[in-house]
Amino acid sequence: IGIIDETSDVKKGDKTPGVQRQYCGCAGKQENGIVTVHLGYARSDFHAIIDGELFLPEGWSEDRERCRAAGIPDDMVYRSKWKIALELCDRAVAHGVMFHWLTFDEGYGGKPLFLQGLDGRKQRFVAEVPTTFSCWTKRPRVTERPFRRGGRGRLRKVPRLVAAASAPQSVQDLVENWSELRDQAWTRYYVKDGEKGPLVWEAKHARIVMKNDDGLPGIELHLLVARNALDHDEVKYFVSNAPSDTTVETLLLVAFSRWRVERCFRDQKQEIGLDQWEGRCYLGLKRHLILSCVSYLFLARTNQRLGGKRI
């Protein structure tokens, strides 16, 4: 399983590559800091971070003198975090790393272009999505018949929904109003053993059609609505492009594998010093990210070889 996530480090001053006031998850609020996007790898009881890249804010990208002073290459420009994630996945695949699955939180799952990009690469995913994620219960009709906007002007020929097509709905609205989900009984699933005991969630499942960025119907997806068996107020929404016969158990197991990358971040910051880098050069930051990955990989393999024994 490949896992995409980001982490942040609070920094002082304005010389650290990519630093600006932005949301920093490590602080839980807007702070002056940097954000890096990472790709993790998990298999059986093994997990590690295998790549990472700096998120370059737009303000930095537009100030090339500032970038050059920080050693940021001229061809490195602002990209959305989901675009950086795609680059990391492509780089991993180009180096022979293959993923049966990818999973990530709603910050990435809520981006239709990202989901389209993965689906176009034939990459299976289970994505958490926000409650506002838009979709249809059935694929609406699309026409390319020429039309005039407002009934005047030159004929336009672009794909669009037919006039009678139903409007897309949010996944939250579907749970409340669509009979297939509203009237469906919750089914309880044991996901895995957690630090505080068995992880048990209740789920409902249906098939939906995603709304693309252009407002047109996109890929057909699984929709999973999961609620914590011990706290029904904790509800999560997941979508997946897996084959239609994929079991709910499998989708839930992948969806709840994200804790592994969070554990990697915690270990790397507490044991290896991922968040201890201080510098003004992008090359120095890249080296620090790489050395942190290699160090963690060595420790993870050693721990696996020794069966968790302390030495």
Side-chain angles (χ1 to χ4, degrees), residues 26-284:
C26 63
K29 60 181 180 179
Q30 293 278 331
E31 282 284 1
N32 195 59
I34 64 172
V35 174
T36 49
V37 180
H38 296 263
L39 175 62
Y41 178 93
R43 180 176 180 179
S44 186
D45 61 348
F46 173 86
H47 49 251
I49 299 291
I50 61 174
D51 204 354
E53 183 57 88
L54 173 70
F55 167 69
L56 189 70
E58 290 182 85
W60 272 81
S61 182
E62 295 167 357
D63 189 346
R64 298 320 301 182
E65 286 190 16
R66 189 185 187 193
C67 287
R68 294 187 188 103
I72 297 173
D74 286 342
D75 59 354
M76 182 175 175
V77 297
Y78 164 79
R79 295 102 73 219
S80 299
K81 294 172 185 175
W82 66 264
K83 290 185 178 180
I84 297 175
L86 277 182
E87 292 172 10
L88 296 179
C89 293
D90 288 343
R91 191 153 65 200
V93 171
H95 284 82
V97 181
M98 304 299 292
F99 303 103
H100 288 122
W101 299 92
L102 276 180
T103 190
F104 34 88
D105 66 18
E106 62 183 55
Y108 297 85
K111 305 297 188 293
L113 288 174
F114 181 51
L115 303 185
Q116 289 172 238
L118 292 176
D119 191 68
R121 291 164 168 78
K122 309 299 181 185
Q123 175 62 64
R124 294 183 187 181
F125 61 78
V126 178
E128 185 174 358
V129 296
T131 58
T132 55
F133 187 83
S134 294
C135 56
W136 286 274
T137 57
K138 293 183 179 179
R139 185 175 295 276
R141 285 179 53 209
V142 174
T143 182
E144 293 189 4
R145 188 173 60 185
F147 74 104
R148 289 186 174 90
R149 185 179 296 276
R152 294 178 295 180
R154 191 172 62 181
L155 285 173
R156 299 162 58 92
K157 187 177 182 181
V158 294
R160 67 191 190 282
L161 296 175
V162 299
S166 61
Q169 300 182 64
S170 71
V171 289
Q172 187 176 47
D173 286 342
L174 289 183
V175 175
E176 297 173 357
N177 303 317
W178 185 24
S179 59
E180 184 168 339
L181 283 177
R182 183 191 62 217
D183 301 336
Q184 186 181 141
W186 291 97
T187 303
R188 182 167 292 192
Y189 295 93
Y190 159 77
V191 180
K192 67 180 183 67
D193 285 326
E195 293 180 353
K196 300 180 180 179
L199 192 64
V200 179
W201 284 71
E202 298 171 338
K204 294 184 178 185
H205 171 268
R207 298 284 287 177
I208 59 166
V209 177
M210 178 182 79
K211 186 186 82 168
N212 286 344
D213 256 24
D214 56 9
L216 298 177
I219 52 181
E220 186 174 338
L221 300 168
H222 295 269
L223 170 62
L224 280 184
V225 185
R227 72 180 185 184
N228 191 324
L230 299 179
D231 181 4
H232 290 177
D233 290 333
E234 185 180 2
V235 180
K236 295 179 180 291
Y237 300 86
F238 303 97
V239 298
S240 175
N241 65 340
S244 58
D245 59 352
T246 305
T247 64
V248 173
E249 292 94 332
T250 298
L251 298 177
L252 285 173
L253 180 61
V254 176
F256 284 97
S257 295
R258 285 211 321 271
W259 68 270
R260 293 171 175 268
V261 74
E262 295 168 359
R263 176 61 186 269
C264 287
F265 286 149
R266 188 183 74 183
D267 289 345
Q268 284 196 330
K269 290 185 177 184
Q270 292 181 353
E271 307 294 340
I272 297 174
L274 175 63
D275 59 346
Q276 298 301 309
W277 181 77
E278 296 182 7
R280 298 183 175 187
C281 177
Y282 170 72
L283 181 58

Side-chain angles (χ1 to χ4, degrees), residues 290-308:
I290 293 169
L291 288 173
S292 295
C293 287
V294 173
S295 299
Y296 192 92
L297 178 61
F298 167 76
L299 293 172
R301 284 180 168 175
T302 301
N303 182 68
Q304 189 178 49
R305 177 172 57 84
L306 296 175

